[in-house]
Amino acid sequence: MTALTALTDLCPPPAAVPPSPDWTQVENTLGSGLPQDYKQLVAAYGPGRFCGFISLYQPHAPSEWADLTGPMPTRLRAQIEEVRQTASRPWPLPHPPENLLAMGVTGNGDYLFWATRPSGAPDDWTIAVNEALCAPWFTYDGTVTEFLVDVLRGAVRVPMFPSDLLDAGITFTPSQLRCTAPAVKPRAPVRTHVIREWARANGYDVPDRGRIPSEILQAWEQANSC
């Protein structure tokens, strides 16, 4: 059984998804090949959230916050060392920043990266996860599809993910985000307290800790992406 088959058995994809991008064009834009399992994931699921929490970046996404071919992956790579060096005690990194390519984000501002070595063998890339570009880092020796399978099965526990991640069931929710505005200047990653403050100012009931509800995250993205 392939990892994608295991994932679709565990978490059925939506009945309809947007057409797959031109992967040759995407890879030319990035200047790098991409893992085959990731391309299959995008084709099977399209944009959205696993368990209302984990989102993978997509090529040409309508929001710069989720666009694999947009400014965020490059900006995050540049900020990794900047954030680390401003800490009172800089923490070790699992990989050099130039070998980390952001490809996903969670509702709490944790980032998912590919460790892009060997550079010419993307199917061998592994996964690194961290909390808002700070310590700690969690590493996973496998593909992003295998990572999702193990996380959604409960076989792997990522320390920075909420303990109740699977309590509401294993689901995939397609993204409803639409934006026709022109691209804007890249913005820095937003910490979760900013989203919580925005939510309260707009009448939402949001907890002080733990996972931010997916409907609040989608409302914040819609309000701040156009």
Side-chain angles (χ1 to χ4, degrees):
M1 177 184 294
T2 68
L4 183 62
T5 300
L7 182 62
T8 57
D9 287 348
L10 185 67
C11 181
V17 298
S20 293
D22 180 334
W23 290 112
T24 299
Q25 181 185 58
V26 170
E27 291 172 329
N28 287 339
T29 298
L30 294 172
S32 170
L34 290 172
Q36 189 64 29
D37 80 289
Y38 167 77
K39 299 176 188 178
Q40 294 171 346
L41 266 176
V42 171
Y45 287 89
R49 285 192 175 89
F50 290 92
C51 292
F53 187 70
I54 304 170
S55 299
L56 300 183
Y57 289 171
Q58 307 271 321
H60 312 304
S63 167
E64 69 177 50
W65 298 93
D67 187 357
L68 185 71
T69 48
M72 289 307 293
T74 300
R75 188 173 182 85
L76 290 172
R77 176 184 281 159
Q79 288 181 332
I80 291 171
E81 187 65 15
E82 177 185 336
V83 171
R84 190 176 79 94
Q85 290 298 337
T86 59
S88 56
R89 298 180 62 183
W91 49 83
L93 295 173
H95 305 280
E98 62 269 20
N99 294 346
L100 292 168
L101 176 61
M103 53 78 177
V105 68
T106 74
N108 280 356
D110 314 309
Y111 292 101
L112 282 65
F113 295 84
W114 279 303
T116 60
R117 285 295 181 270
S119 60
D123 290 337
D124 294 333
W125 293 355
T126 57
I127 308 302
V129 185
N130 87 327
E131 186 175 2
L133 303 184
C134 302
W137 284 80
F138 174 86
T139 57
Y140 178 85
D141 189 16
T143 68
V144 65
T145 308
E146 292 167 341
F147 173 78
L148 288 171
V149 170
D150 280 346
V151 168
L152 298 183
R153 279 179 174 167
V156 164
R157 174 79 174 90
V158 181
M160 59 280 288
F161 287 6
S163 58
D164 64 351
L165 176 63
L166 306 179
D167 286 3
I170 301 170
T171 60
F172 179 82
T173 306
S175 174
Q176 301 301 313
L177 182 61
R178 296 291 183 270
C179 179
T180 58
V184 296
K185 183 179 179 180
R187 291 167 289 184
V190 175
R191 300 298 179 94
T192 55
H193 75 84
V194 175
I195 302 176
R196 295 179 200 277
E197 290 175 0
W198 175 90
R200 295 188 184 104
N202 285 273
Y204 292 96
D205 183 13
V206 60
D208 291 331
R209 296 181 178 275
R211 179 167 35 167
I212 298 174
S214 60
E215 61 271 17
I216 293 177
L217 288 167
Q218 289 187 354
W220 184 88
E221 288 178 349
Q222 187 68 65
N224 289 274
S225 64
C226 296

